[in-house]
Amino acid sequence: MSLSLLLRLAWRQSLIRLLLFYALALAVGLALDEPWWALGLATAVVALRAYWRLYRVLRFLDWRKQLQTVDGQGLWAALETLIHRRQTENRARTRRLVRLLRAYRQAATAMPDGALIVNRHDGRLVWFNKTARHLLGLRYPQSLDTPLAEVFEGQPRVRDWFAAGITDEPLTDLPSPAEPMARLSLRLIPYSPTQWLVVVRDVTKLMRLEQVRRDFVANVSHELRTPLTVVHGYLDMIEPDEHPELAHMVEEMRRQSQRMTQLVEDLLTLSRLEAQESLPEEPLAMAPMLVTLRREAEALSQGRHQVLVEDRAGVDLTGSTKELHSAFSNLVSNAVRYTPTGGRILIRFERSADGGARLAVQDSGYGIPAQHLPRITERFYRVSTSRSRESGGTGLGLSIVKHVLSLHQARLEIESEVGRGSTFACAFGPARVRQRETAEAGAGGSVD
Ligand code: ADP
């Protein structure tokens, strides 16, 4: 029966019954010659009955028990029917929600990755699945409420990573607290303002494969060094004047063996950088560094380009002098190699808006088509293989730059327009900036 019809019927029934009851009471009262008493008694009966039904309804609502029977007809019965319907609907909804929740939990528990729900404000564990228990050596329920940093005791990286809320990059290569030989990666997923999901993945095999790859490249490069030195040595012993018919061949062989040597050296540099977790934290004086970079650019350019240096930052950096020099040199060398004669190369050191500093190498060269930019720092990725080879490139320069910068928590920013030139900038955070101690401190200006 529809609700409105039920209510309409109930109203009508109630009213008719009430009127009949009072009519009967009045008739009995008149018969007994006490009509007022009879009406008063009838009112008391009506009130008592109303209280009793109200008590019944309240009791069911209060005890959260389901109303099983609906008594009689009329308004009170309609109210009970309504409550009964709502209760039945609510129970069905709750059952559905519980089933859904259970299914989610089962799915999360069965996940091959570890899942932890962590309080955002204090980093304490709220829930974790079975895989997380195995991977992290947690125990249920004892480990609940333990701070994540405590689970990874001795790994301050985890605390810093969680506090910084780094969600775009996973934290990789962490030793597992349960099994030191196992390697884990953590990913942060902020799914609500108060609780975050931490996904733990066992990357031991992946790391081992990566190590095998690194070792292989490093070993091959290392093994190639000696034969190359021998070939070099013999080639140097051949005098082109004595064998003019071989001169062209020997020249080409020399060039190729030099290229191979450069390739081997770059591969070894990359392997060394990959194996390193951090670099020495030395003060790096930028004024002499800019002078060196300018000298290198001029030597490579042989007067074919205009080289300008601007030192506007008036600060120095902290980091590994050797590695940063190699990164900056790579950018300068690229700018010279990919800029035609008559072009302009500007090396600019400036402060950035976030309080950090940036070394930008700008050229007026060939430029790079936009579709190549996302892959430009991959090993051996070249926009034009022939141009790279002609200019003596190995295709590893920008990979080395990227590695060196990431070891300094810095970024490589690239802007380029075909035919107009490119700007490669190394952006360092404020933590890498240090006050310049020399007399030129804060001078700023041009060194060209
Ligand atoms: P390579 O040794 O080939 O120069 P890099 O890793 O240094 O290798 O650079 C990768 C590719 O990026 C180069 O082959 C070149 O196509 C492009 N590139 C790098 N720097 C510049 C630049 N300043 N102008 C134009 N193209 C560049």
Side-chain angles (χ1 to χ4, degrees), residues 175-413:
S176 153
E179 169 60 68
M181 293 305 282
R183 297 273 138 182
L184 304 177
S185 106
L186 305 187
R187 183 176 274 281
L188 205 55
I189 302 168
Y191 74 99
S192 96
T194 51
Q195 294 185 333
W196 284 14
L197 179 70
V198 177
V199 177
V200 188
R201 186 167 287 178
D202 185 352
V203 288
T204 317
K205 274 192 197 142
L206 209 70
M207 287 292 147
R208 211 168 284 152
L209 275 176
E210 185 65 13
Q211 188 60 42
V212 169
R213 182 192 64 78
R214 276 206 294 258
D215 290 350
F216 176 75
V217 174
N219 290 338
V220 168
S221 315
H222 197 74
E223 291 300 323
L224 281 174
R225 241 183 185 171
T226 320
L228 270 173
T229 317
V230 174
V231 171
H232 249 328
Y234 282 124
L235 282 174
D236 280 345
M237 281 163 64
I238 302 174
E239 280 296 331
D241 297 344
E242 287 173 19
H243 309 277
E245 73 284 6
L246 293 180
H248 178 69
M249 226 164 66
V250 169
E251 181 53 32
E252 183 58 23
M253 281 163 82
R254 269 193 196 142
R255 267 200 318 129
Q256 293 299 339
S257 79
Q258 255 156 19
R259 225 169 75 75
M260 260 174 97
T261 309
Q262 189 56 50
L263 208 62
V264 165
E265 290 308 321
D266 280 1
L267 280 172
L268 282 171
T269 306
L270 260 179
S271 304
R272 190 170 44 76
L273 288 172
E274 277 180 336
Q276 252 155 344
E277 284 199 352
S278 62
L279 290 172
E281 302 282 319
E282 310 153 345
L284 167 58
M286 283 307 284
M289 171 67 82
L290 291 172
V291 172
T292 309
L293 291 177
R294 178 197 163 106
R295 210 176 299 137
E296 285 174 359
E298 281 169 351
L300 207 61
S301 160
Q302 300 279 325
R304 289 177 295 122
H305 307 91
Q306 184 191 6
V307 181
L308 301 169
V309 174
E310 276 179 19
D311 183 6
R312 297 196 177 281
V315 289
D316 283 338
L317 293 175
T318 310
S320 158
T321 310
K322 179 171 160 249
E323 307 301 353
L324 284 176
H325 178 208
S326 133
F328 298 158
S329 279
N330 254 309
L331 296 184
V332 169
S333 139
N334 278 354
V336 174
R337 291 189 295 117
Y338 297 110
T339 303
T341 305
R344 197 181 79 128
I345 287 142
L346 171 63
I347 305 166
R348 190 172 51 223
F349 186 49
E350 62 197 359
R351 295 302 297 268
S352 42
D354 64 353
R358 232 167 147 248
L359 182 107
V361 182
Q362 188 180 353
D363 64 54
S364 59
Y366 305 114
I368 304 161
Q371 73 268 24
H372 292 285
L373 288 179
R375 299 191 57 194
I376 199 96
T377 54
E378 285 175 21
R379 286 152 198 242
F380 298 115
Y381 191 87
R382 289 143 162 148
V383 177
S384 154
T385 314
S386 57
R387 195 177 279 163
S388 161
R389 289 217 175 108
E390 265 168 37
S391 62
T394 58
L396 294 170
L398 290 181
S399 302
I400 294 177
V401 173
K402 202 177 155 194
H403 262 87
V404 171
L405 292 186
S406 90
L407 284 168
H408 288 86
Q409 300 79 46
R411 284 187 326 275
L412 178 64
E413 296 171 348

Side-chain angles (χ1 to χ4, degrees), residues 52-53 56-57 59-60 65-73 76-85 87-88:
W52 161 242
R53 296 302 292 256
R56 204 177 113 99
V57 168
R59 203 179 45 161
F60 276 112
K65 269 172 74 178
Q66 187 158 21
L67 207 59
Q68 295 297 358
T69 50
V70 175
D71 259 7
Q73 293 167 324
W76 288 106
L79 183 65
E80 284 180 3
T81 308
L82 261 176
I83 291 172
H84 183 257
R85 273 193 195 183
Q87 280 183 335
T88 314

Side-chain angles (χ1 to χ4, degrees), residues 95-172:
R95 262 200 301 273
R96 245 193 343 264
L97 280 177
V98 168
R99 263 205 309 274
L100 210 65
L101 203 66
R102 220 171 269 155
Y104 272 125
R105 283 242 162 145
Q106 272 165 357
T109 308
M111 249 170 38
D113 294 335
L116 310 154
I117 292 178
V118 183
N119 267 338
R120 175 65 187 120
H121 72 284
D122 58 5
R124 288 177 187 275
L125 303 188
V126 177
W127 177 84
F128 45 81
N129 69 356
K130 212 152 94 194
T131 318
R133 232 184 292 168
H134 293 316
L135 291 177
L136 305 178
L138 300 175
R139 285 194 300 151
Y140 186 83
Q142 295 89 324
S143 304
L144 287 177
D145 224 30
T146 312
L148 187 68
E150 213 170 277
V151 175
F152 285 95
E153 218 175 2
Q155 292 291 322
R157 279 201 294 154
V158 177
R159 196 192 37 235
D160 298 345
W161 166 80
F162 187 79
I166 299 171
T167 54
D168 48 356
E169 262 188 55
L171 187 65
T172 52

